Amino acid sequence: MADQYLLSIDNGTQSVRALLFDVNGNLAAKSQIHLQAYFSAHPGWAEHDADGYWDAVAAACQQLWRTTDIPRSAVKGVAVTTQRGTVVNLDRDGKVLRPAITWLDQRRVGKQKPLSWWWRTAFKLARVEGTIEYFRREAEINWIAEHQPEIWAKTHKYLLLSGFLNYRLCGCHVDSTGSQVAYLPFDYKRHKWAGARDWKWQALRVRPDMLPELVAPGTVIGTITAAAAAATGIPEGTPLVAAAADKACEVIGAGSLEPHIACLSYGTTATINTTSKKYVEVTPFIPPYPAAVPGAYSTEVQIFRGYWMVNWFKEQFGHLEQMAGAEQGLAPEAMFDQLVNEVPPGSMGLMLQPYWSPGIRTPGPEAKGAMIGFGDVHTRSHMYRAILEGLAYALREGKERIEQRSGVKVTALRIAGGGSQSDAAMQLTADIFGLPAARAHVYETSGLGAAIAIAAGVGLHPDFDTATRAMTRPGRIFQPIPANQKIYDQLYRRVYLGMYKQLQPMYQQIADITGYPEQL
């Protein structure tokens, strides 16, 4: 098996990476092409050239072959994992009709035509009519249909980025059930398109024939076409396997295959996930996302701005670290660990609630971020540590919600994403959760999750369970420090858990006075 490799294409928000893994989960070769930043024709919009994504995939693959001695013939399968919620419109000839609307886009449509009276009555009785209207206003489908009807009329297929790249690679309109995280008529319980009588078909202006065929992760959906082979250098005829969205792949790539092992993703959006065969709504009436394992669910809690806050801090307050890092040949984030270590656990009373972006239900649409407890002793170092602590508090709260709803206690943590590279962040995570925190053995966990799907799909391992156990393992493990754990546990229980409840009425007043967030 030494000459058998798996090619994962990971199309993230900032870059596209082509990754070669062996069947033991070792990263054998890597290339990376940075993407052009999204553009905004109007405030709050976030669009990207869809063909630019494909060009970056091709460039990343071609760069990979130039930088490795591994022969292309050793590649036994290919899979795509991508950012979630980015959508592409194609005409009948497969040509892109408009720029892709990315997951960062904040546009929303106006009031929609009422649903049927029985659905309105059901949602009112369940007290979720606001959630349903949020879904309809946020749906890119409805915005395009309303504001660009000529483009919508020409749209033959409406695809997520994963489906678009699959189409470019194999020529078929097929996507993974594990990638369907968006405002789409998807049945999250049964992992298929919603039934004909489902309310989502009334809520969204899309027809069934405009959507791709769905298959389970690990399914061979086609082979690399001659055109794709010419563009990417991947041998023609190589099997293309369905994987899942990047967060879902990250979970199994970090080894979180069982519900008692939680995966914390310290990425742009910070998340805590467990993989479960049981359908569990961590937030009532908000379904769990599909996992990267067939028939399984990902019980995810999100902090939407997550480790974006680290970049925000760097841009607003981290100029000294940026300059010092440049002089020493280090990334600014590496210098930030020094800031964290200058401050004691608890940041001398500075507490952060990381709701820099509002939510749907928990937190609600009125939510804002907050930092309380300022005194004359506090510096940038305290602010930075408070950011990391606040994110960990929020994810611990998510863990407790998952445990309460699922009935399964989390006993182990796997940490992935950019923030996992910080020893300081890893240690305070272990301290705040009171659990050992294990860094994933490779940084490219999303790509590894896609490689696991390939290995199971083409038979290099007999199934997902075997593949995941063979290809993942903990890296460095950080143990809780008892004295730190005691401080954090008191701050979490006696202060953090009460912050949102105490501040929520004031957030609502701020929104009423200022008109922001505007959806209120």
Side-chain angles (χ1 to χ4, degrees), residues 167-179:
Y167 171 68
R168 285 284 192 259
L169 287 165
C170 75
C172 302
H173 292 301
V174 184
D175 203 5
S176 171
T177 55
S179 295

Side-chain angles (χ1 to χ4, degrees), residues 243-293:
D246 54 5
K247 290 289 185 184
C249 283
E250 193 172 55
V251 174
I252 64 166
S256 298
L257 193 62
E258 299 172 75
H260 72 276
I261 304 174
C263 176
L264 275 64
S265 174
Y266 282 157
T268 304
T269 296
T271 59
I272 179 166
N273 280 280
T274 64
T275 302
S276 174
K277 294 289 186 179
K278 179 182 174 184
Y279 180 88
V280 175
E281 294 179 350
V282 177
T283 302
F285 302 104
I286 304 295
Y289 293 145
V293 178

Side-chain angles (χ1 to χ4, degrees), residues 35-52:
L35 292 165
Q36 294 289 326
Y38 68 81
F39 58 88
S40 300
H42 298 278
W45 291 20
E47 299 185 333
H48 198 284
D49 175 21
D51 285 319

